[in-house]
Amino acid sequence: VASQTVTFTPATQVAFGVAPITLNASASSGLTTFTFSASSAASICTVTGNQPTSVGVGTCALTATQTANDSYTSATANANVV
């Protein structure tokens, strides 16, 4: 089983009261299915699918996760947006 690297850099800020942005990530393995989550308090931001939504003031800590399969180990990448 080989390791993989996830590249994840949100292109824009998550702004309160603005339509959610769409998150994208890439993996060195070429796999394309990711799970996105927020590790910030739910009072700062939430994630539904691949769209974070700002619900309060603060830094939104986001994580992109590529799950393991028969050929590759799982991998994550983190990004903070304000």
Side-chain angles (χ1 to χ4, degrees):
V1 177
S3 61
Q4 62 177 326
T5 303
V6 172
T7 302
F8 172 53
T9 307
T12 186
Q13 296 179 334
V14 178
F16 183 74
V18 176
I21 62 172
T22 298
L23 300 174
N24 294 298
S26 61
S28 59
S29 63
L31 298 173
T32 58
T33 303
F34 293 90
T35 301
F36 296 98
S37 60
S39 58
S40 300
S43 61
I44 296 174
C45 66
T46 60
V47 175
T48 302
N50 65 345
Q51 295 186 319
T53 301
S54 176
V55 293
V57 176
T59 300
C60 182
L62 300 168
T63 301
T65 302
Q66 174 62 252
T67 58
N69 67 10
D70 292 340
S71 301
Y72 295 96
T73 59
S74 64
T76 61
N78 300 306
N80 292 327
V81 293
V82 210

